[in-house]
Amino acid sequence: MNWPLERLPRMREETHFGRSMRCFEHRPANLNAMFAQTLARRADSEALVCGDQRITYAALGDIAARVAARLARDGVRAGDRIAILCANEPEFIYTLLAVFRLGAIAVPINVREQQPELAYVLNQCQARTLVFDADLAERIPPPDAVPHLALRYAVGGRADDCVAMARPFSRLLGPCANSPAPATPGEEETAVILYTSGTTGHPKGAMLTHLNLIHSVLHFEHCMEHGAAVRALLAVPASHVTGLVAIILTMLRVGGCVLMLREFKARTFLELASRERMNFTLVVPAIYNLCLRDPDFASFDLAHWRLGGFGGAPMPEGTLLALAQRLPQLVLVNAYGATETTSPATTMPLGRQAS
């Protein structure tokens, strides 16, 4: 990085997981502490935009506390696995923060998974609770196929549209007295389990700790020079390590705003980016190419788009040239990572990407 020395984050050697590693000297103790720090300084700022919903950090903190309180009242405890089968929508983040608040473990699942894969994941991690989109109800395994699953909450739809034993998620949003104080898990405790298919056999659950997640978030913050003014468009699934870590958790760290796109289409991406003055996203190269192919690309106001991350595949030279011509202010940054590495493994320095 070409940073002045005074801007370099201080690192030190520490022992974690039985080995020595370089760690950020100044960091939040866990994800609850991270969110509390942001909430204290960014309460009135926008945290989420999804359709016509605009949610401030203060409102997000209040909702997360209410959801946590009602989950606790229903029997959710620290260490429980809470599966989340939701598209890119506010309820995903409400549940995520509530799970962290309780000291439980979030298990985001790709909404494209079918019933056999869902049953395997829910049983393998012994999930006690499932939050799911009501329009995916037909894919939810029956109770006898997932005996550990005690609680089900459906997002959207009518209660009578849902599978047996499901409660409407809206019940979790009501006021509830005596919300539990945020848990204080140790850094090496698991916060999230993400399933990755690997190359053979059944999906494997990667156990991501508070230490893992916070360090990845800090790497994104520093390497991409994010500040509170960043408005990041979530075009990849929230359940994927990129969407979860590079977009959602990183924005919750720096106090930026997550612009949620429920389902990617090039036109809706461009409309949202233009309307909300998006200045950052991290997507696969194909998304850039699809946007460039839109016949009305030049009509969208993308002047605020300062940083475009990409990974997962090589960026075609033709796409690089087209982006340089049409969006000369855009700085591209190539990043590589994996679920098991909690997202970032290598990141090109800003301004060093060939164009």
Side-chain angles (χ1 to χ4, degrees):
M1 291 297 159
N2 299 318
W3 293 331
L5 289 176
E6 65 271 13
R7 289 183 58 195
L8 287 171
R10 295 181 62 178
M11 311 289 286
R12 66 186 178 195
E13 291 291 328
E14 298 182 11
T15 300
H16 294 283
F17 315 113
R19 63 188 179 91
S20 179
M21 61 184 67
R22 287 177 60 79
C23 297
F24 288 99
E25 181 176 352
H26 301 292
R27 62 182 186 267
N30 52 57
L31 292 165
N32 287 326
M34 183 185 83
F35 182 64
Q37 290 170 5
T38 304
L39 180 58
R41 69 178 190 274
R42 298 284 291 168
D44 296 330
S45 302
E46 281 186 345
L48 308 176
V49 172
C50 185
D52 59 0
Q53 298 182 72
R54 294 183 177 275
I55 301 155
T56 66
Y57 274 94
L60 181 58
D62 177 66
I63 293 169
R66 283 187 272 131
V67 173
R70 292 203 161 213
L71 285 173
R73 185 189 62 182
D74 288 349
V76 175
R77 298 291 181 263
D80 286 354
R81 275 70 166 165
I82 314 301
I84 309 173
L85 184 70
C86 294
N88 294 358
E89 54 202 4
E91 287 82 1
F92 181 100
I93 299 181
Y94 300 161
T95 304
L96 187 72
L97 288 173
V99 169
F100 294 157
R101 188 179 180 95
L102 292 173
I105 299 171
V107 187
I109 303 174
N110 192 313
V111 295
R112 294 184 179 180
E113 296 287 11
Q114 300 302 309
Q115 189 174 101
E117 291 78 15
L118 287 173
Y120 174 80
V121 168
L122 293 170
N123 284 322
Q124 204 277 335
C125 73
Q126 298 188 359
R128 189 175 187 281
T129 303
L130 171 66
V131 175
F132 67 95
D133 281 339
D135 55 10
L136 302 177
E138 292 183 356
R139 293 197 222 154
I140 306 304
D144 60 353
V146 282
H148 294 283
L149 196 64
L151 299 168
R152 304 172 185 221
Y153 302 92
V155 176
R158 303 192 312 269
D160 57 1
D161 289 334
C162 302
V163 293
M165 298 175 65
R167 311 173 186 190
F169 185 87
S170 57
R171 284 182 51 182
L172 299 177
L173 299 174
C176 188
N178 302 319
S179 178
T184 56
E187 288 190 304
E188 296 184 23
E189 292 186 36
T190 301
V192 173
I193 299 175
L194 285 181
Y195 277 81
T196 177
S197 60
T199 55
T200 60
H202 289 296
K204 318 298 192 295
M207 300 168 68
L208 310 181
T209 69
H210 289 264
L211 181 73
N212 299 145
L213 291 161
I214 285 172
H215 272 74
S216 288
V217 164
L218 291 173
H219 277 102
F220 279 121
E221 176 185 1
H222 292 298
C223 291
M224 298 195 175
E225 299 182 3
H226 287 321
V230 65
R231 297 176 69 78
L233 199 156
L234 179 66
V236 296
S239 60
H240 188 272
V241 70
T242 298
L244 177 67
V245 181
I247 303 293
I248 295 174
L249 292 180
T250 298
M251 291 306 101
L252 295 181
R253 157 66 183 177
V254 302
C257 180
V258 180
L259 309 173
M260 307 192 81
L261 186 64
R262 182 178 174 86
E263 182 180 6
F264 174 79
K265 292 182 181 178
R267 177 56 64 103
T268 54
F269 176 98
L270 292 168
E271 290 171 346
L272 180 59
S274 175
R275 181 175 66 251
E276 296 296 334
R277 298 186 173 187
M278 174 201 76
N279 50 29
F280 169 68
T281 193
L282 179 55
V283 292
V284 295
I287 286 181
Y288 289 93
N289 199 40
L290 289 169
C291 290
L292 287 167
R293 289 183 179 182
D294 189 287
D296 299 320
F297 182 87
S299 68
F300 293 99
D301 180 7
L302 302 176
H304 294 84
W305 191 359
R306 73 166 186 93
L307 185 62
F310 68 92
M315 181 76 86
E317 184 178 358
T319 305
L320 288 172
L321 293 172
L323 288 168
Q325 292 171 355
R326 298 193 185 191
L327 299 173
Q329 85 287 354
L330 179 62
V331 174
L332 292 172
V333 56
N334 188 194
Y336 168 78
T339 303
E340 295 85 348
T341 64
T342 322
S343 191
T346 63
T347 303
M348 284 287 289
L350 300 188
R352 296 292 296 276
Q353 173 63 46
S355 59

